[in-house]
Amino acid sequence: MAVFDQTDKVWRFLISPDDSTRYRVDFEDPLVRDDLSQGQASIAIERFSFTANNILYVVLGHQNRYWDLFPAEGKWGNSPAWGVGRVVDSKSDLLEKDSRLFGLFPLASQCVIQPRILGPRHVVDTAQHRQALAPAYNRYTRIDELDHFHGIGGDWQLLLRPLALVGLLAAHHFKDRNYFNAKIIYVTSASSKTGIGVGLMIKNQSPEMKVIGITSPEKTNYVSALDVYDQVIDYDNLAELQDAPSILFDLTGNHSLVQKIHSKLSAALKHSASAGRSHWSAGGETEVVGNVAPERFFTPVIMQHYLAIWGGELFERRFGATIQTLQNALSGQVEIKHVRGSEGLTSLYMQLLDGSASAKEGHIIIT
């Protein structure tokens, strides 16, 4: 059993890339200025959100190269999380001490980056091991002068920014393709904050589309009360799927479930998008039904597409509006919970793995 009382130490939460149920916590002396190479900055990670989305980073760590973001020694991996950090020491002329950044940090209380300026509000980590990853994963936002990153608003930003992005992009991605001539979009894992964001933004963007959430039987009342979906169906009642031109937006990664939905909709299914792994332990492959095979919905690639079309300023404006819309929808339904240190993270990690974490809570790890 891990010993968590390690005063004046920094910690790293390490996970086995080959078995997500195996983990350990390492404690080390804090890095000091002499430990840094020229051009590097040491970051004290202050807090980060931790949701089912983080389990996706673990499960798809090899496929999407998430383990490459923050390499660990031996057969262990340091998975990423969206958080806020403060510069505590710097040998870079580009980042001054006490600057605060938002971006992807390791599950840890300290890390090192090698910054390069990317416009007035952003820096990018140029460390060699990160260069093969999607650009969105290497970018950090300066937040010292951004009021919405402070207080309870800051907690909502940490919680919702990674999740709201999927909703923003899905709504525009499907509208730009005329929803593949579908009239209905089904969203699995409908209780998840990502699923809620997708449903909400598609309804806002295209009110004529019918959005149906699919969730577990014990969560149907909660999901229905959100007033996001036109209808809610549970996984045990897929006979209620309608015989009309449809899109499936799957966040479960449960191939057996997806196969059942494909089979039920048959020729009515016009497009199938695979965007998550909330049912992370489900295995197998989804067979093609008719002419439709699941297509991967990879957020960083789609984000780069719309950044190129809209430009950074319009993208950020639309993204900010999406976050606020999602926060307004969830603020009376979801309670922000602060979880302390590596011990609290360990407990929450196991709850998210076994599915026992409450959908009505949004968790922020205070390191």
Side-chain angles (χ1 to χ4, degrees):
M1 181 176 294
V3 177
F4 294 102
D5 185 13
Q6 297 278 342
T7 306
D8 297 328
K9 299 284 187 179
V10 297
W11 55 264
R12 291 189 303 161
F13 185 84
L14 303 177
I15 301 165
S16 168
D18 300 315
D19 180 357
S20 55
T21 65
R22 294 182 61 231
Y23 62 88
R24 78 183 200 203
V25 180
D26 282 359
F27 293 91
E28 303 164 350
D29 292 326
L31 292 170
V32 296
R33 183 176 176 80
D34 288 345
D35 296 321
L36 301 176
S37 299
Q38 191 61 39
Q40 291 184 327
S42 175
I43 311 294
I45 304 162
E46 298 179 339
R47 59 182 63 201
F48 51 83
S49 62
F50 202 73
T51 70
N53 197 52
N54 293 90
I55 303 303
L56 178 69
Y57 293 153
V58 173
V59 174
L60 298 181
H62 288 302
Q63 179 178 327
N64 292 350
R65 302 188 67 173
Y66 295 132
W67 299 119
D68 293 349
L69 280 165
F70 306 104
E73 299 78 19
K75 297 182 178 180
W76 295 93
N78 205 186
S79 192
W82 294 95
V84 167
R86 178 175 54 84
V87 179
V88 290
D89 267 310
S90 181
K91 283 189 177 179
S92 167
D93 296 332
L94 307 179
L95 273 185
E96 58 278 9
K97 189 175 179 180
D98 291 326
S99 297
R100 297 177 76 240
L101 303 172
F102 166 82
L104 268 182
F105 293 105
L107 299 180
S109 59
Q110 188 179 44
C111 73
V112 171
I113 67 170
Q114 188 162 338
R116 173 174 59 82
I117 295 295
L118 188 67
R121 289 188 178 178
H122 299 95
V123 298
V124 62
D125 187 359
T126 62
Q128 187 61 40
H129 61 267
R130 297 180 68 159
Q131 298 317 298
L133 286 97
Y137 292 142
N138 295 332
R139 189 173 71 165
Y140 293 89
T141 302
R142 297 174 181 266
I143 62 171
D144 294 295
E145 298 179 5
L146 300 180
D147 292 341
H148 54 277
F149 270 98
H150 299 278
I152 186 64
D155 286 344
W156 280 108
Q157 287 288 323
L158 290 184
L159 183 67
L160 297 182
R161 283 184 78 88
L163 313 180
L165 182 60
V166 181
L168 171 68
L169 297 177
H172 284 277
H173 176 79
F174 290 129
K175 185 174 183 179
D176 289 349
R177 288 154 181 78
N178 195 31
Y179 289 94
F180 299 91
N181 296 316
K183 302 299 182 185
I184 299 172
I185 181 163
Y186 293 97
V187 181
T188 61
S189 196
S191 69
S192 69
K193 298 167 190 68
T194 303
I196 293 166
V198 170
L200 193 63
M201 295 315 298
I202 288 176
K203 288 302 293 183
N204 283 2
Q205 178 95 326
S206 303
E208 74 280 5
M209 284 295 295
K210 187 170 186 178
V211 182
I212 298 178
I214 309 178
T215 189
S216 57
E218 65 272 15
K219 294 178 180 176
T220 52
N221 289 339
Y222 166 70
V223 176
S224 297
L226 294 170
D227 199 26
V228 168
Y229 303 101
D230 295 297
Q231 183 182 347
V232 178
I233 296 172
D234 71 60
Y235 296 131
D236 294 338
N237 287 292
L238 297 181
E240 297 180 21
L241 298 180
Q242 300 176 23
D243 185 18
S246 303
I247 293 170
L248 172 62
F249 193 85
D250 178 57
L251 289 163
T252 68
N254 184 330
H255 297 292
S256 175
L257 171 66
V258 170
Q259 184 64 53
K260 290 175 183 177
I261 295 173
H262 276 219
S263 296
K264 178 65 176 68
L265 293 174
S266 190
L269 183 64
K270 302 304 179 184
H271 181 76
S272 180
S274 176
R277 288 290 297 273
S278 62
H279 295 191
W280 65 273
S281 60
E285 294 294 334
T286 303
E287 297 177 3
V288 177
V289 175
N291 295 318
V292 176
E295 293 185 11
R296 187 183 184 199
F297 186 93
F298 190 42
T299 303
V301 172
I302 298 172
M303 175 182 171
Q304 289 302 120
H305 170 73
Y306 283 106
L307 271 170
I309 293 174
W310 298 341
E313 184 176 343
L314 178 57
F315 186 96
E316 286 297 328
R317 190 160 64 247
R318 287 178 169 172
F319 189 20
T322 301
I323 294 167
Q324 190 59 58
T325 298
L326 186 53
Q327 181 180 338
N328 292 343
L330 293 177
S331 58
Q333 301 286 344
V334 172
E335 180 183 3
I336 298 288
K337 291 276 192 179
H338 287 172
V339 178
R340 301 284 172 178
S342 57
E343 186 170 8
L345 173 59
T346 299
S347 176
L348 178 59
Y349 177 70
M350 296 310 297
Q351 291 175 41
L352 286 167
L353 272 186
D354 66 23
S356 63
S358 173
K360 298 180 182 181
E361 296 177 352
H363 298 97
I364 305 295
I365 307 298
I366 310 296
T367 61

